[in-house]
Amino acid sequence: MRYSELSRRLAGVSQKMLTQTLRSLERDGLLTRTVTATVPVTVTYELTPLGLSLHEVMRGIKGWAEAHMDEVLANRERYDTANRPT
């Protein structure tokens, strides 16, 4: 995926934070960065096999969160109601 596409998909993330995060993920071996000498320069990022294995885990967590969000929100509401200052 190109940097600009990542930036669009992650609306609200600053350029500095996105760049720092991508560098950190590259350092950890979770993605590769490829620079192509075009005008302007094209930079693309791709998950490594290690990154893909983490992606699968994260998709599972996301699925769990989506499946249980109503229950979590109901629990928060019950807790907040029971613990309101009097």
Side-chain angles (χ1 to χ4, degrees):
M1 191 175 296
R2 292 182 63 181
Y3 181 91
S4 58
E5 185 178 351
L6 285 168
S7 182
R8 275 193 304 277
R9 284 189 178 200
L10 301 169
V13 175
S14 71
Q15 182 178 349
K16 178 182 177 183
M17 183 53 64
L18 179 56
T19 299
Q20 287 176 346
T21 301
L22 290 170
R23 285 182 183 157
S24 178
L25 292 170
E26 182 181 15
R27 181 175 180 237
D28 292 343
L30 298 173
L31 59 79
T32 57
R33 178 179 184 263
T34 304
V35 178
T36 306
T38 57
V39 178
V41 172
T42 303
V43 179
T44 57
Y45 296 89
E46 184 176 0
L47 290 173
T48 63
L50 182 62
L52 285 170
S53 70
L54 178 60
H55 177 69
E56 292 173 16
V57 172
M58 296 305 292
R59 284 185 63 152
I61 292 171
K62 179 181 181 280
W64 180 92
E66 290 170 347
H68 296 282
M69 186 51 61
D70 290 341
E71 186 178 352
V72 169
L73 293 173
N75 287 329
R76 285 181 185 175
E77 182 63 32
R78 266 193 303 282
Y79 179 90
D80 291 347
T81 299
N83 293 289
R84 273 198 191 113
T86 54

